[in-house]
Amino acid sequence: ADAAAEFAAGGPAPRFVTGTRAELGLPADAEAGTEAGTPAGPLTVLAVRPATRDSVSRRLFAGWLEERRAAARVEWNWGPA
């Protein structure tokens, strides 16, 4: 759906963004000018930046940390009651 046509018909205003494909949740072949519907409304990509080594490292670490937190078991020991 064309974001401008949706807005003209009374829909939500389009958001224009710039980011890496991973940050924007886009498929590998997405380029600038891609339009997608999101829960917050239409999204139009102005530019797709290449991922950097640092951004990939942070994303991988965040995923690993999320998995570890989900698997963690915390037991409180307050001493003798």
Side-chain angles (χ1 to χ4, degrees):
D2 181 43
E6 286 182 31
F7 180 64
R15 294 180 305 145
F16 298 98
V17 296
T18 300
T20 65
R21 287 180 183 84
E23 290 170 345
L24 302 174
L26 298 173
D29 59 348
E31 296 296 332
T34 298
E35 294 185 359
T38 66
L43 175 79
T44 301
V45 179
L46 292 179
V48 178
R49 292 189 321 255
T52 62
R53 182 181 185 115
D54 187 51
S55 67
V56 172
S57 178
R58 275 189 268 122
R59 185 174 171 88
L60 290 172
F61 178 74
W64 173 83
L65 187 59
E66 184 177 329
E67 289 175 7
R68 297 310 307 150
R69 284 181 176 158
R73 181 171 172 264
V74 177
E75 184 176 323
W76 294 96
N77 183 0
W78 296 99

